[in-house]
């Protein structure tokens, strides 16, 4: 955590531009070297070497373009994710398709042969995307149709318009529609220098806007009403965010294709959420994830033939997401599971020590030996569980075990006193303030006592007017350990659902 | 002043209704003229001419589209009311890897005998099963990502379905050389191919059968489980307390949705099917407030959209493209047009839905404004008569103009009132007729009763009462007035000391 | 009254509202979907007082604050802050929204949230600088939360989250504070801490209006009270207004008639 935090703090100041810089380096090197045709690589290691060393002009261009796109999509995606509008990107990219097709038609109609001019198509895509975003929010506001249905309708109907327009384009005498389907699946492999220029310019603009409006966008996503009460034009900032999404979709359509652009908006951002609690850091990480997955996708697809680059990029992003979900420091499943496991083990030891203490308390001495059978029946555990916990206790030098007898070490005595004290303080607190009957209090205290530390302990001592020395208060209820027979019948104490 | 003869009530109501009728007629006229102008344009421009070429192939295409659209609209209704529309989109995207994997598996197991008749059947059913399986898997994965990763619902959906879709695309491209599987086939479908197949073989193609079966399943399940589905859509917690397993129903619905969507792939493709799934349902949602009607309406809308969509696919080249100078295009994509037409229906519903439509709401606002203006004229006249002030038209209008700043509306309202026999005009002076007196009396008594009510219950000074009463007076009916009288006890004067009529 | 032809003459002259009042609400009506939820509120807040807005659930307490802040549109009426329209006086009004109104899982820490109160001061495009961070920390200190500045906000308890919100408003150094249920879901210690802060604000001459739902503590905490149930039932010094009689009027159920008329207006507006 600390390493991540330190790295994060270092790069937060320069935020998004920092992530753009490696891409820009690639870019300049791509520009400086002339294109050269070489024989296809014979071995994959050789292919990898050539890709990494940027030997192919084409690879350089594609790599730079995809990486820059990945960063931009990741950065903008963070805000869409936090605004809970993750799927708007899907609508925008689908809506851009009819824009492209209609722009093509218009161009062909006015002057045949110019249909595939990229700038026309991109203008069409932008107009379509903006129209899609605006239509969605208009439907949401003007009708009682809910958000989800508005998204689905705009997405599918506009795509239908696009298909209709495409069917016209395909049957035109003059042009062919091959260029248009590139927008659907992406055309990473055939990216050109002019495509790259466009992507970089758009990305720099997007990154610049994000940097300038970072605090405004954060406020919009976190607490729109508060922002509005301060006089921020939240509607305009929202519109600005939508424009950023449109920009990302337009440049993303060329790389991963319109069907998968939304993935580049959502997945890196969602993955980054597992690593950080600060929006600045999260933005950097999301940009990094976007860059890494894009770059990896391009590299792998240039080595292995017959792989769809766009899909590959998304799959690398998805695997980053899975990895983050499993191992992310913030809420990853593995760290969380490990913490739970640690807590369980700690709890088990605590129970053993408390059982020991309570049994020994009756005999008024802590340093004596107790038969394990007594403890076992007191705890109500399985033999194997008990053996495991006892072994750990021995390893931690809390207890000593000689055959069927057990005793507490010096450390164990102190520790057990502390644990029992916490337990009883909490019991007292519950009885006094939470109105829990003394006979039931033991079970409730069981769950809390293991995490009582520091602040809460002092607070507890203060409220209960207990002195802070190590004195262990009397148990508020009868501790039935003196006679093994009583233990078996139990008072709620021996029926713990404790185990490994 | 409590009892009021029954006939008098109807007199007032009749007078009100008479002025209401005008705008209703306007509305009707608008709708009818719109319809006729569409037909007129079609006839004049001879746009119907291509429709003369309608033949058996067109019949098959329309049949297939109608079946798909109607079958999809049924689960779509439930997705819309459960606010899970995007789940439909996700399932249809996510089904792709299911199709591809099943396809590859089928080839792997089949070995050499690719061409056998039985292989085709096995391959198709495997692809179908695979797609449905992955579609349902998508919902399960989404839920677990949402729960385990604590990711927001829409984002989890986006992560899962795009990843699955990417797997599908990747496999498809990677194996494109080995086996002929065309991505466009799943993504866009081809109703034209189905019709062609029917034409060539002379049999009903399997795609039509599959959709018919999906439709039958949907209708059967909805009829069987209607009330369970309704309650679990409305309030899952309540459903659980009355012993309905909402989770099971949810997954059941998702499975049925997946089946319906996958059945539709071959005909309309995996993206446009979303339009057929959600748009008819949402359109019906705008038109009615009852779930049962919504389903019926959605099915009708879907069927109509499929028919109109195909017809316009034939008409569009002549009507739109030829004038633009594109002569080479014979017809446009029927499915694309169907989706567009559904979108158009949805737009029409947004504007013209009887209760929730924006145009109807605007019209209602206009009607309300007219009525309020009328009642203001009546109130003013009544008070002038009460004060024995002049009732000259110019004086009345001038005063109302000062108060409300809407002189044309006041004039219009006055003319309305005259034609409705509530106000009589003798030279310049205005007089309330018998009906007019009753109506105006209602307005003024509403006003004064409300003032009394407010002065009793609100912490407001007496000089703040008037404006509030001005707003409310138009909305009190006889029942409210009599309740106000009951509540206030026997009051005959308002807080300003004037008689309550 | 003689000068007029209508029922009520004086209503067109709003000049009786004193310019010194931190918040004057003039004949304000607020409606959701054309259905009035607040009827004709006419109120002048006295300067430098702690004012409780009290009423049952659904009485429109939050609506009152939000409408005053122009977060929801008004059907009628106007709101003046120190005699000028709210739009021109935003910087002197601090707002504490309900704790439930935001997603506490958001990736910001306590200090970031407090700094949001300074964003307007910082202005467009400029990032939060050292000076503003220090200011934010200062106001976190005021609410006794300086030690938690680095905590992600979901790791704070309900009371601590509420204090962060309070600190955000304090950072703004406003003259008038509008707080929406700052005491909801907080423990006794936090409640004490918050009321101490509110009292400090009053000592400094600030005016604080608080939506409050705990009738037990109204008399102890507040100087003035505004009883609300869709309409203003009574207002004035707590000792005078907070009477069983007025409370019965406030809490004795909604006025059924008001509800009916509201419904009628909604239907009349949408249909008919």
């Amino acid at each position: 955590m600390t390493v991540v935090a330190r790295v994060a703090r270092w790069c937060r100041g320069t935020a998004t531009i920092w992530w753009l810089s490696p891409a820009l380096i690639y870019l300049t090197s791509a520009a400086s070297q002339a294109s050269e045709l070489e024989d296809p690589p014979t071995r994959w290691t050789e292919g990898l070497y050539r890709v990494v060393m940027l030997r192919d002009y084409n690879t350089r261009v594609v790599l730079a373009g995809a990486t820059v796109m990945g960063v931009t999509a990741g950065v903008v995606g963070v805000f869409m994710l936090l605004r809970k509008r993750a799927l708007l990107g899907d609508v925008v990219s689908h809506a851009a398709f009819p824009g492209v097709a209609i722009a093509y038609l218009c161009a062909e109609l006015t002057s045949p042969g110019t249909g595939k001019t990229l700038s026309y198509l991109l203008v069409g895509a932008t107009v379509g995307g903006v129209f899609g975003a605006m239509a969605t929010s208009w439907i949401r506001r003007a009708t009682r149709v809910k958000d989800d249905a508005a998204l689905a309708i705009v997405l599918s109907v506009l795509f239908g318009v696009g298909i209709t327009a495409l069917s016209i384009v395909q049957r035109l005498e003059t042009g062919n529609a091959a260029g248009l389907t590139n927008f659907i699946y992406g055309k990473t492999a055939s990216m050109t220098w002019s495509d790259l220029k466009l992507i970089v310019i758009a990305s720099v603009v997007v990154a610049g806007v994000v940097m300038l409006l970072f605090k405004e966008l954060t406020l919009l996503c976190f607490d729109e009403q508060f922002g509005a009460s301060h006089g921020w034009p939240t509607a305009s900032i929202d519109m600005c965010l939508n424009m950023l999404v449109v920009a990302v979709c337009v440049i993303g359509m060329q790389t991963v294709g319109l069907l998968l652009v939304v993935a580049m908006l959502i997945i890196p951002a969602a993955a980054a959420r597992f690593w950080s609690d600060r929006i600045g850091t999260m933005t950097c990480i999301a940009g990094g994830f976007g860059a890494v997955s894009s770059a990896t996708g391009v590299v792998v697809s240039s080595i292995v033939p017959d792989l769809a680059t766009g899909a590959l990029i998304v799959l690398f992003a998805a695997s980053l997401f899975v990895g983050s979900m499993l191992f992310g420091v913030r809420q990853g499943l593995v760290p969380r599971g490990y913490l739970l496991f640690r807590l369980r083990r700690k709890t088990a030891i605590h129970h053993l020590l408390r059982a020991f203490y309570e049994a020994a308390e009756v005999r008024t001495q802590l340093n004596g030996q107790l038969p394990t059978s007594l403890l076992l029946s007191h705890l109500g555990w399985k033999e194997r569980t008990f053996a495991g916990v006892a072994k750990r206790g021995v390893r931690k030098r809390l207890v000593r075990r000689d055959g069927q007898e057990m005793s507490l070490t010096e450390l164990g005595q102190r520790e057990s006193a502390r644990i029992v004290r916490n337990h009883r303080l909490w019991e007292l607190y519950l009885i006094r303030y939470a109105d829990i009957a003394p006979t039931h209090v033991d079970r409730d205290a069981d769950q809390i006592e293991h995490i009582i530390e520091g602040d809460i302990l002092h607070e507890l001592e203060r409220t209960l007017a207990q002195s802070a020395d190590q004195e262990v208060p009397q148990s508020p209820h009868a501790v039935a350990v003196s006679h093994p027979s009583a233990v078996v019948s139990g008072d709620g104490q021996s029926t713990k659902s404790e185990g490994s | 002043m409590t009892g009021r003869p029954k006939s008098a009530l109807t007199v007032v109501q009749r007078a009100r209704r008479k002025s209401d009728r005008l705008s209703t007629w306007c509305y009707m006229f608008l709708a009818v003229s719109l319809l006729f102008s569409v037909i007129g344009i079609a006839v004049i421009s001879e746009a119907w001419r291509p429709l003369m070429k309608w033949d058996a192939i067109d019949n098959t295409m329309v049949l297939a589209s109608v079946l798909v659209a109607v079958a999809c609209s049924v689960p779509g209704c439930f997705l819309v009311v459960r606010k899970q529309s995007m789940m439909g989109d996700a399932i249809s995207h996510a089904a792709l890897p299911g199709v591809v994997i099943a396809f590859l598996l089928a080839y792997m197991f089949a070995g050499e005998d690719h061409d056998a008749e039985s292989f085709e059947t096995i391959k198709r059913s495997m692809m179908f099963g695979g797609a449905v399986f992955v579609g349902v898997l998508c919902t399960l994965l989404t839920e677990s990502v949402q729960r385990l990763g604590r990711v927001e619902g829409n984002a989890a959906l986006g992560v899962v379905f795009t990843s699955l879709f990417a797997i599908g695309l990747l496999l498809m491209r990677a194996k494109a050389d080995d086996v002929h599987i065309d991505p466009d086939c799943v993504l866009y479908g081809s109703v034209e191919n189905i019709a062609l197949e029917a034409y060539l073989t002379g049999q009903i193609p399997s795609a039509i059968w599959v959709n018919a079966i999906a439709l039958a399943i949907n209708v059967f399940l909805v009829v069987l489980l209607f009330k369970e589905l309704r309650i679990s859509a409305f309030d899952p917690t309540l459903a659980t307390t009355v012993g309905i397993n909402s989770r099971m129903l949810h997954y059941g619905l998702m499975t049925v949705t997946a089946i319906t969507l996958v059945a539709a792939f071959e005909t309309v493709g995996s993206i446009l099917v979303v339009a057929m799934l959600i748009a008819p349902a949402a359109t019906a949602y705008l038109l009615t407030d009852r779930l049962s009607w919504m389903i019926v309406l959605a099915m009708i809308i879907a069927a109509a959209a499929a028919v109109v969509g195909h017809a316009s696919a034939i008409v569009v080249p002549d009507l739109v493209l030829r004038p633009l100078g594109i002569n080479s295009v014979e017809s446009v994509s029927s499915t694309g047009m169907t989706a567009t037409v559904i979108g158009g229906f949805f737009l029409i519903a947004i504007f013209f839905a009887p209760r929730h439509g924006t145009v109807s709401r605007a019209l209602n606002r206009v009607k309300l404004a007219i009525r309020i203006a009328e009642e203001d004229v009546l109130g003013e006249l009544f008070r002038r008569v009460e004060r024995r002030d002049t009732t000259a038209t110019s004086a009345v209008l001038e005063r109302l103009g000062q108060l409300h700043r809407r002189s044309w509306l006041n004039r219009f309202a006055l003319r309305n009132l005259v034609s409705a026999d509530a106000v009589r005009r003798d030279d310049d002076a205005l007089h309330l007729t018998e009906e007019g007196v009753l109506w105006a009396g209602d307005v003024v008594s509403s006003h004064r009763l409300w003032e009394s009510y407010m002065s009793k219950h609100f912490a407001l000074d007496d000089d703040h009462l008037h404006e509030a009463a001005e707003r409310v007076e138009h909305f009190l009916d006889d029942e409210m007035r009599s309740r106000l009288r009951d509540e206030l006890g026997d009051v005959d004067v308002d807080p300003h000391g004037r008689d309550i009529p | 009254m003689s000068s007029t032809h209508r029922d009520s003459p004086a209503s067109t002259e709003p000049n009786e509202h004193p310019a010194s009042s931190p918040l004057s609400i003039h004949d304000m009506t607020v409606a959701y979907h054309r259905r009035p939820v607040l009827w004709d509120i006419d109120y002048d807040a006295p300067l430098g007082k702690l004012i409780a807005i009290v009423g049952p659930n659904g009485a429109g307490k939050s609506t009152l604050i939000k409408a005053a802040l122009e977060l929801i549109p008004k059907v009628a009426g106007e709101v003046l802050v120190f005699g000028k329209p709210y739009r021109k006086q935003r910087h002197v009004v601090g707002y504490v929204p309900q704790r439930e109104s935001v997603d506490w899982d958001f990736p910001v820490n306590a200090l970031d949230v407090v700094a949001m109160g300074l964003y307007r001061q910082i202005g467009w495009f400029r990032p939060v600088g050292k000076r503003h961070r220090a200011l934010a920390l200062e106001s976190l200190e005021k609410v006794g939360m300086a030690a938690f500045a680095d905590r992600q906000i979901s790791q704070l308890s309900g009371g601590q989250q509420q204090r962060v919100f309070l600190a955000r408003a304090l950072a703004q150094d406003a003259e008038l504070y509008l707080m929406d249920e700052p005491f909801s879901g907080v423990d006794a210690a936090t409640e004490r801490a918050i009321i101490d802060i509110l009292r400090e604000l009053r000592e400094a001459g600030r005016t604080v209006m608080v939506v409050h739902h705990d009738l037990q503590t109204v008399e102890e905490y507040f100087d003035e009270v505004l009883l609300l149930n869709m309409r203003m039932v009574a207002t004035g010094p707590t000792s005078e207004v907070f009477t069983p009689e007025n409370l019965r009027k406030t809490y004795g159920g909604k006025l059924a008639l008001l509800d009916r008329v509201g419904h009628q207006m909604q239907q009349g507006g949408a249909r008919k």
Side-chain angles (χ1 to χ4, degrees), chain B residues 333-377:
Chain B
S333 157
S334 169
T335 316
M337 249 352 256
T338 304
T340 313
V341 165
I342 297 183
F345 282 1
F346 181 67
L347 262 188
I348 293 175
I350 288 179
F351 289 125
F352 297 107
R355 274 198 59 191
H356 305 288
T358 48
V359 171
S360 347
R361 277 204 300 240
L363 259 170
N364 283 328
R365 270 200 291 282
V366 171
K367 272 198 293 194
L368 183 69
I370 294 173
R371 188 166 66 82
I372 287 175
E374 284 169 3
E375 292 186 352
D376 285 341
V377 172

Side-chain angles (χ1 to χ4, degrees), chain A residues 29-91:
Chain A
S29 69
S32 63
Q33 289 168 35
S35 128
E36 54 209 78
L37 281 172
E38 288 178 36
D39 298 329
T42 44
R43 292 217 327 273
W44 73 268
T45 43
E46 190 188 337
L48 182 68
Y49 171 77
R50 279 171 55 175
V51 167
V52 173
M53 299 316 286
L54 296 170
R55 294 292 287 276
D56 296 328
Y57 173 75
N58 198 31
T59 315
R60 280 198 301 272
V61 170
V62 173
L63 196 58
T67 312
V68 172
M69 192 281 303
V71 175
T72 321
V75 166
V76 174
V78 167
F79 292 98
M80 292 315 279
L81 181 79
L82 293 175
R83 188 119 177 82
K84 309 219 171 355
R85 296 248 182 91
L87 292 176
L88 186 67
D90 205 20
V91 175

Side-chain angles (χ1 to χ4, degrees), chain A residues 204-412:
Chain A
V204 168
V205 169
V206 169
V209 171
V210 168
M211 259 175 68
L212 280 178
L213 289 179
F214 197 84
K215 111 179 159 299
E216 287 79 5
L217 289 172
T218 309
L219 184 63
L220 176 79
C221 297
F222 177 63
D223 197 348
E224 192 178 351
Q225 286 222 322
F226 182 79
S229 85
H230 271 201
W232 291 105
T234 44
S236 312
I237 302 174
D238 192 42
M239 197 63 209
C240 184
L241 182 56
N242 284 350
M243 290 298 156
L244 295 182
V245 173
V246 172
V248 168
C249 286
V250 169
I251 59 174
M253 270 167 74
Q254 295 186 75
T255 39
V256 291
L258 71 87
L259 295 172
L260 287 174
V261 157
V262 65
M264 293 313 289
L265 276 168
I266 300 178
I267 299 178
R273 189 72 191 90
F274 288 104
W275 294 98
S276 174
D277 269 335
R278 296 295 299 273
I279 186 165
T281 320
M282 188 180 152
T283 313
C284 295
I285 296 175
F289 279 174
V292 168
S293 46
S294 299
T296 324
V298 169
V299 168
V300 170
S301 77
S302 69
I303 296 167
V304 186
D306 284 339
L307 290 180
T309 318
L312 210 57
I313 289 174
V314 171
L315 280 180
F316 278 114
S319 46
L320 276 177
F321 176 83
V322 173
S324 305
M325 191 168 141
L326 287 177
F327 302 107
V329 287
R330 204 184 69 94
Q331 277 189 339
L333 292 180
V334 172
R336 237 158 66 198
Y338 178 65
L339 281 181
L340 200 69
F341 173 71
R342 280 264 302 271
L343 182 69
R344 285 230 179 106
R345 277 173 49 152
K346 191 170 132 192
T347 312
I349 292 261
H350 282 188
H351 281 177
L352 177 70
L353 290 177
R354 184 152 63 85
F356 214 112
Y357 186 94
E358 281 170 356
E361 194 178 33
V362 185
R363 304 178 178 193
T364 66
Q365 55 178 19
L366 273 177
N367 48 6
Q369 293 213 328
L370 278 178
T372 49
S373 57
L374 179 69
L375 288 170
L376 193 59
S377 63
H378 180 47
L379 287 161
W381 290 353
K382 284 199 204 87
E383 187 93 36
R384 227 182 40 195
T385 320
F386 179 81
V389 175
K391 204 185 268 172
R392 265 206 319 279
V394 172
R395 210 166 47 228
K396 290 191 164 187
R397 301 179 195 289
L398 291 168
V399 292
R400 271 188 299 269
R401 185 168 185 182
D402 335 297
Q404 291 304 306
E405 298 272 293
M406 272 182 104
S407 60
L408 288 174
T409 62
E410 191 113 329
L411 182 68

Side-chain angles (χ1 to χ4, degrees), chain B residues 119-171:
Chain B
F119 172 69
E120 192 66 15
T121 324
I122 294 171
K123 191 185 81 183
R124 271 168 187 275
S125 39
M126 272 182 76
M127 280 163 74
F128 193 90
V132 172
F133 174 76
V134 179
V136 176
L137 185 72
C138 170
T139 70
L140 287 170
L141 279 176
T142 302
E143 257 172 54
S144 38
V145 167
Q146 198 179 343
R147 215 184 45 246
L148 293 176
R150 299 183 198 165
V151 179
E152 188 242 340
N154 274 339
L157 193 70
V159 170
V160 171
F161 90 77
T162 52
S163 306
L164 287 173
F165 189 71
I167 294 177
L169 274 185
L170 196 70
L171 284 174

